[in-house]
Amino acid sequence: MSDYRIETKCIQSGYEPENGEPRVVPIYQSTTFRYTSSEQMGRLFDLEESGYFYTRLQNPTNDAVAAKICDLEGGVAAMLTSSGQAANFYAIMNIAGAGDHIVCASAVYGGTYNLYAHTIRKMGVEATFIDPDCSVEELNAAFRENTKAVFGETIANPALVVLDLEKFSKAAHEHGVPFIVDNTFATPVNCRPFEWGADIVTHSTTKYMDGHAACVGGAIVDSGNFDWDAYADKFPGLTTPDETYHGIVYTERFGKGAYITKATAQLMRDLGSIQSPQNAFLLNIGLETLHLRMPRHCENAVKVAEYLKNHEKVAWVSCPSLPGDKYYDMTQKYMPNGTCGVITFGLKGGRDAAVEMMDKLKMVAIVTHVADARSCVLHPASHTHRQMNDQELLEAGVQPDLIRFSVGIENVEDIIADVEQALQ
Ligand SMILES: *Cc1c(COP(=O)(O)O)cnc(C)c1O
């Protein structure tokens, strides 16, 4: 990890060309890598030696971009995945298997809820969803003998619940399991969960990191702080021999790199959710301006939220950076410089008025996306969360009338003017 400030890291980290090499990280558009010795290739397969041999396992473009994200979060190792979904899937399945259990904040992205409530359940991993605002006692009560991880989002999409990172990390550590945080909305520019006790951070790089709605992608970063060997019986995958690699033990061989090495060597090898080097290249260009875009997203979001709050047709507005918001105090602790560009609101006319207003927007588009340069809206109850019943929606912090407004980095007066005409 370099000592540079976050703005410099956005631009400089992850890739340092040698004399005469390309200044910009090149796209290694190659599935495979040549060796002159068959014996060396064998050593690569045994993880005896590190080196590139097949892009499903590692690719230099992807590694450079993963190293940048690692540095931004202050971690020790990182990997890219094909999507945020793959990142959150791998992050759990790297340490949990059939018969295991996880604790998850109930206010999370709809896709993550599906993944943890239904898909991994079919694989034998059960999740207990807990209200992120619960008491310490309630949180502790959610743990079981077979609990392997705690998961939450820094700022929940779309509920905009700001997670009490210290409360969750403390509970996780008291039960001898890592705390995994999806830091997609805050980004490391506004919050670095490792500084608050998180052990693993995940990202949907599809959102602010890419920032231009160009590429779906994900990332997993390890802080290197969780002591797997101290709870060796809970995490045999990391602390006992892997027969598929001639009996290497990840924690012994790779130390602080154990978790990411295992995720790459086993899960990426077998499940293959790689990010294409082309996408990683574009993601890297997005990362270079992340520190410029985030403050503007936040500034515009607060202005739009203030405008909506004073509008007679608006029933409620949620923006954690706005004084008076339920999570304002939490943001002052964990992300005083800003939260994200996403706000939510409801109209006095309810669900029908929401749909009508969205249809009248001209510049602000209805899209199944969030957190990119262009302002956009979505109605989660009809779109991303439509598979949830009303009870599940409320538990996820999503009111049926909720409009998710991803405030972009256009001129804020133009954004407000569009909303104004749609509300007329
Ligand atoms: C979008 C999103 C995901 C899923 O990411 P994809 O890149 O769409 O697979 C996960 N977590 C959060 C917080 C998200 O916003």
Coordinates of all heavy atoms in Angstrom, one line a residue, residues 320-355:
P320 N -29.0 10.6 3.3 CA -28.2 10.5 4.6 C -27.3 11.7 4.9 O -27.0 11.9 6.1 CB -27.4 9.2 4.5 CG -27.9 8.5 3.3 CD -28.6 9.5 2.4
S321 N -27.0 12.5 3.9 CA -26.1 13.6 4.1 C -26.9 14.9 4.5 O -26.3 15.9 4.8 CB -25.3 13.9 2.9 OG -24.4 12.9 2.6
L322 N -28.2 14.8 4.5 CA -29.0 15.9 4.8 C -29.3 16.0 6.3 O -29.8 15.0 6.9 CB -30.4 15.8 4.0 CG -31.1 17.0 3.6 CD1 -30.3 18.0 2.7 CD2 -32.4 16.7 2.9
P323 N -29.0 17.1 6.9 CA -29.3 17.3 8.4 C -30.7 16.9 8.6 O -31.6 17.3 7.9 CB -29.0 18.7 8.6 CG -28.0 19.1 7.6 CD -28.3 18.4 6.4
G324 N -31.0 16.2 9.7 CA -32.3 15.8 10.0 C -32.6 14.4 9.5 O -33.6 13.7 10.0
D325 N -31.8 13.8 8.6 CA -32.0 12.4 8.1 C -31.7 11.5 9.3 O -30.9 11.8 10.1 CB -31.1 12.1 6.9 CG -31.4 10.8 6.3 OD1 -30.9 9.7 6.8 OD2 -32.2 10.7 5.3
K326 N -32.5 10.4 9.3 CA -32.3 9.4 10.4 C -30.9 9.0 10.5 O -30.4 8.6 11.6 CB -33.2 8.2 10.0 CG -33.3 7.1 11.1 CD -34.2 6.0 10.7 CE -34.2 4.9 11.7 NZ -34.8 3.6 11.2
Y327 N -30.1 8.9 9.4 CA -28.7 8.4 9.5 C -27.7 9.5 9.4 O -26.5 9.3 9.2 CB -28.5 7.4 8.3 CG -29.4 6.2 8.5 CD1 -30.6 6.1 7.8 CD2 -29.1 5.2 9.5 CE1 -31.4 5.0 8.1 CE2 -29.9 4.2 9.7 CZ -31.1 4.0 9.0 OH -31.9 3.0 9.3
Y328 N -28.1 10.8 9.6 CA -27.2 11.9 9.5 C -26.0 11.8 10.5 O -24.9 11.9 10.1 CB -27.9 13.2 9.7 CG -27.1 14.4 9.6 CD1 -26.6 14.8 8.3 CD2 -26.6 15.1 10.7 CE1 -25.8 15.9 8.1 CE2 -25.7 16.2 10.5 CZ -25.4 16.6 9.2 OH -24.5 17.7 9.1
D329 N -26.3 11.4 11.7 CA -25.3 11.3 12.7 C -24.3 10.2 12.4 O -23.1 10.3 12.6 CB -25.8 11.0 14.1 CG -26.6 12.3 14.7 OD1 -26.4 13.4 14.1 OD2 -27.4 12.1 15.6
M330 N -24.8 9.1 11.8 CA -24.0 8.0 11.5 C -23.1 8.4 10.3 O -21.9 8.0 10.3 CB -24.9 6.8 11.0 CG -24.2 5.5 11.1 SD -24.4 4.8 12.7 CE -26.0 4.0 12.6
T331 N -23.6 9.2 9.4 CA -22.7 9.6 8.3 C -21.6 10.6 8.8 O -20.5 10.5 8.2 CB -23.5 10.4 7.1 OG1 -24.0 11.6 7.7 CG2 -24.6 9.5 6.6
Q332 N -22.0 11.4 9.8 CA -20.9 12.3 10.3 C -19.8 11.5 10.9 O -18.6 12.0 10.9 CB -21.6 13.2 11.3 CG -22.6 14.2 10.7 CD -22.1 14.8 9.4 OE1 -21.1 15.6 9.4 NE2 -22.7 14.5 8.3
K333 N -20.1 10.3 11.4 CA -19.0 9.5 12.0 C -18.2 8.8 10.9 O -17.0 8.8 10.8 CB -19.7 8.5 12.9 CG -18.7 7.5 13.5 CD -19.3 6.6 14.5 CE -18.3 5.5 15.0 NZ -18.9 4.7 16.0
Y334 N -19.0 8.1 10.0 CA -18.3 7.2 9.0 C -17.9 7.8 7.7 O -17.1 7.3 7.0 CB -19.2 5.9 8.8 CG -19.3 5.0 10.0 CD1 -20.6 4.8 10.6 CD2 -18.2 4.4 10.6 CE1 -20.7 4.0 11.7 CE2 -18.3 3.6 11.7 CZ -19.6 3.4 12.2 OH -19.7 2.6 13.3
M335 N -18.7 8.8 7.3 CA -18.4 9.4 6.0 C -18.7 10.9 6.0 O -19.6 11.3 5.2 CB -19.1 8.6 4.8 CG -20.5 8.3 5.1 SD -21.1 7.0 4.0 CE -21.1 5.6 5.2
P336 N -17.9 11.7 6.8 CA -18.2 13.1 6.9 C -18.1 13.9 5.6 O -18.7 15.0 5.5 CB -17.2 13.6 8.0 CG -16.1 12.5 7.9 CD -16.8 11.2 7.6
N337 N -17.4 13.4 4.7 CA -17.2 14.2 3.4 C -18.3 14.0 2.4 O -18.3 14.6 1.4 CB -15.8 13.8 2.8 CG -14.7 14.2 3.7 OD1 -14.8 15.2 4.4 ND2 -13.6 13.5 3.6
G338 N -19.2 13.0 2.7 CA -20.3 12.8 1.7 C -20.6 11.3 1.7 O -19.8 10.5 2.2
T339 N -21.8 11.0 1.2 CA -22.2 9.6 1.2 C -22.2 9.1 -0.3 O -21.3 8.4 -0.7 CB -23.7 9.5 1.8 OG1 -24.5 10.5 1.2 CG2 -23.6 9.7 3.3
C340 N -23.2 9.5 -1.0 CA -23.3 9.0 -2.4 C -24.3 9.9 -3.2 O -24.9 10.8 -2.5 CB -23.7 7.6 -2.5 SG -25.3 7.2 -1.9
G341 N -24.5 9.7 -4.4 CA -25.4 10.5 -5.2 C -26.8 10.0 -5.2 O -27.7 10.6 -5.9
V342 N -27.0 8.9 -4.5 CA -28.4 8.3 -4.6 C -29.2 8.8 -3.4 O -28.8 8.8 -2.3 CB -28.3 6.7 -4.5 CG1 -29.7 6.1 -4.6 CG2 -27.4 6.2 -5.6
I343 N -30.4 9.2 -3.8 CA -31.4 9.6 -2.8 C -32.7 8.9 -3.1 O -32.9 8.4 -4.2 CB -31.6 11.2 -2.8 CG1 -32.2 11.7 -4.1 CG2 -30.3 11.9 -2.4 CD1 -32.6 13.1 -4.1
T344 N -33.6 8.9 -2.1 CA -34.9 8.3 -2.4 C -36.0 9.3 -1.9 O -35.8 10.1 -1.0 CB -35.1 6.9 -1.7 OG1 -34.9 7.1 -0.3 CG2 -34.1 5.9 -2.2
F345 N -37.2 9.1 -2.5 CA -38.3 10.0 -2.1 C -39.6 9.3 -2.5 O -39.6 8.4 -3.3 CB -38.2 11.4 -2.6 CG -38.3 11.5 -4.1 CD1 -39.6 11.9 -4.7 CD2 -37.3 11.2 -5.0 CE1 -39.7 12.0 -6.1 CE2 -37.4 11.4 -6.4 CZ -38.7 11.8 -6.9
G346 N -40.6 9.8 -1.8 CA -42.0 9.3 -2.1 C -42.9 10.5 -2.4 O -42.6 11.6 -1.8
L347 N -43.9 10.4 -3.2 CA -44.8 11.4 -3.5 C -46.1 11.3 -2.7 O -46.5 10.1 -2.3 CB -45.2 11.5 -5.0 CG -44.0 11.8 -5.9 CD1 -44.4 11.7 -7.4 CD2 -43.4 13.1 -5.6
K348 N -46.8 12.4 -2.4 CA -48.0 12.3 -1.6 C -49.1 11.4 -2.3 O -49.9 10.8 -1.7 CB -48.6 13.7 -1.4 CG -47.7 14.4 -0.3 CD -48.2 15.8 0.0 CE -47.3 16.5 1.1 NZ -47.3 17.9 1.0
G349 N -49.0 11.4 -3.7 CA -49.9 10.6 -4.5 C -49.6 9.1 -4.5 O -50.2 8.3 -5.1
G350 N -48.5 8.7 -3.7 CA -48.2 7.3 -3.6 C -47.6 6.7 -4.8 O -47.0 7.3 -5.7
R351 N -47.8 5.4 -4.9 CA -47.2 4.5 -6.0 C -47.6 5.0 -7.4 O -46.7 5.1 -8.3 CB -47.7 3.1 -5.7 CG -46.9 2.1 -6.5 CD -47.3 0.7 -6.1 NE -46.6 -0.3 -6.9 CZ -46.2 -1.4 -6.5 NH1 -46.4 -1.9 -5.3 NH2 -45.5 -2.2 -7.3
D352 N -48.9 5.3 -7.6 CA -49.3 5.7 -8.9 C -48.7 7.0 -9.3 O -48.3 7.2 -10.5 CB -50.9 5.8 -8.9 CG -51.5 4.5 -8.7 OD1 -50.8 3.4 -8.9 OD2 -52.7 4.4 -8.3
A353 N -48.6 8.0 -8.4 CA -48.0 9.3 -8.7 C -46.5 9.1 -9.0 O -46.0 9.8 -9.9 CB -48.2 10.2 -7.5
A354 N -45.9 8.2 -8.4 CA -44.5 7.9 -8.6 C -44.3 7.5 -10.1 O -43.4 8.0 -10.8 CB -44.0 6.8 -7.7
V355 N -45.1 6.5 -10.5 CA -44.9 6.0 -11.8 C -45.2 7.1 -12.9 O -44.5 7.3 -13.9 CB -45.9 4.8 -12.0 CG1 -46.0 4.4 -13.5 CG2 -45.4 3.6 -11.1

